[in-house]
Amino acid sequence: MDNSKKAIGVFDSGLGGISVLRDLKKLMPNEDFIYFGDSAYAPYGIKTKDEITKRCVEIIDFFIEKGVKAVVIACNTATSASANYLRKKYKDLPIIGMEPALKVATQGVKNNNIVVMATPLTLKEKKFENLMNRFEDQAKIIKLPAPDLVEFVERGEIDTPELKKYLRSILNPYLGNIDAVVLGCTHFPFAK
């Protein structure tokens, strides 16, 4: 089959990757996509690196059975945990991952303080540490784990008093002294 007619596989630990899929559809309107929202195993951010990698292999094997030409890991946590391994395992399959938008956030900073909200696993992985190190001379980067935010989005509670209370509780110590909050999980824009 002509590669141009094959779909691109996109997956996330649930609903979060839909925001990525939406943008992919805008950027590449002539492409076909297969979306795999892995809500049954959500959230990824509280699982081990090995658990996430095993699940990512299962999903990519599913995509290969469907004949995809590329895979987008629409999940910062899955990218951090397993992208390097997956690229080695599936050498002939382009695998594109996500990472928190620190580069954009560091442009035009005033107080030199940036909060990165992400899952605990994303924030503790070597991949994120390397990303942080690239921008540490431009801003103070504050890691802020927000594992419960994934749960709120998965339950569809994106504009509730409980969510607002949760966000205030974790962001309050930083308010007034930060330039940007980087949403380091594809679920988080739903609660923006």
Side-chain angles (χ1 to χ4, degrees):
M1 176 187 251
D2 180 5
N3 210 29
S4 67
K5 300 202 185 308
K6 293 182 177 182
I8 297 170
V10 180
F11 77 93
D12 184 70
S13 64
L15 298 172
I18 292 172
S19 62
V20 176
L21 179 62
R22 180 191 61 224
D23 290 342
L24 289 170
K25 294 285 288 175
K26 285 179 191 172
L27 289 169
M28 299 181 290
N30 297 322
E31 293 289 344
D32 289 324
F33 297 91
I34 300 171
Y35 184 75
F36 192 107
D38 197 18
S39 294
Y41 287 86
Y44 283 4
I46 59 170
K47 295 189 172 25
T48 68
K49 185 175 177 174
D50 289 341
E51 289 173 316
I52 294 167
T53 300
K54 182 177 184 252
R55 187 62 180 159
C56 290
V57 166
E58 292 169 357
I59 293 168
I60 291 179
D61 286 345
F62 166 79
F63 282 145
I64 289 170
E65 287 177 21
K66 298 295 180 190
V68 300
K69 62 182 172 186
V71 171
V72 175
I73 306 170
C75 176
N76 288 280
T77 301
T79 299
S80 294
S82 62
N84 290 337
Y85 172 82
L86 296 171
R87 289 178 182 132
K88 289 176 189 164
K89 179 173 177 58
Y90 303 99
K91 290 181 177 84
D92 296 330
L93 182 67
I95 296 176
I96 299 96
M98 303 287 293
E99 67 179 22
L102 275 177
K103 180 178 181 179
V104 174
T106 59
Q107 297 170 353
V109 294
K110 296 175 186 156
N111 298 318
N112 293 330
N113 293 317
I114 296 172
V115 170
V116 178
M117 288 176 56
T119 65
L121 184 63
T122 295
L123 295 175
K124 76 177 186 179
E125 280 300 309
K126 184 76 172 154
K127 185 168 179 50
F128 181 74
E129 183 181 323
N130 292 340
L131 177 65
M132 249 179 63
N133 290 340
R134 286 181 19 215
F135 299 101
E136 68 185 354
D137 61 333
Q138 296 174 41
K140 179 181 178 190
I141 300 166
I142 303 159
K143 297 180 189 181
L144 180 59
D148 294 341
L149 189 48
V150 173
E151 300 282 351
F152 278 103
V153 172
E154 283 293 316
R155 291 190 305 262
E157 298 174 17
I158 55 176
D159 193 20
T160 64
E162 294 80 16
L163 174 62
K164 291 175 183 175
K165 180 179 177 185
Y166 170 70
L167 290 173
R168 274 196 284 291
S169 73
I170 64 172
L171 286 169
N172 198 45
Y174 309 104
L175 295 179
N177 195 30
I178 56 173
D179 294 294
V181 176
V182 173
L183 304 177
C185 174
T186 56
H187 282 75
F188 294 2
F190 288 102
K192 188 165 77 171

